[in-house]
Amino acid sequence: MATLVRVSQVDARLYEECRLHHAGVVNAYVESRAEIIRHNEGRSPPAPARADIIDPP
């Protein structure tokens, strides 16, 4: 049982570190996206893609 507790504590610390990094990346994305939207307010949207042009995979 003691071994399981020790391993779980290490995993819990690693999980928390990963969770914080993930939250930082998500928050940076959300803030960047909001800034881009604010920057582009009032501009016309891009022209729709042409149906006769196929993008390569």
Side-chain angles (χ1 to χ4, degrees):
M1 187 63 131
T3 300
L4 182 58
V5 169
R6 280 193 304 276
V7 170
S8 295
Q9 287 176 341
V10 171
D11 289 344
R13 280 192 292 270
L14 291 173
Y15 170 80
E16 180 63 12
E17 183 179 328
C18 185
R19 187 187 69 77
L20 292 173
H21 287 171
H22 182 265
V25 170
V26 170
N27 290 338
Y29 167 79
V30 169
E31 291 171 13
S32 296
R33 184 176 184 278
E35 180 61 30
I36 290 167
I37 290 170
R38 279 191 299 275
H39 175 76
N40 288 323
E41 283 179 350
R43 297 179 185 200
S44 58
R50 289 179 40 190
D52 60 331
I53 297 176
I54 300 173
D55 289 331

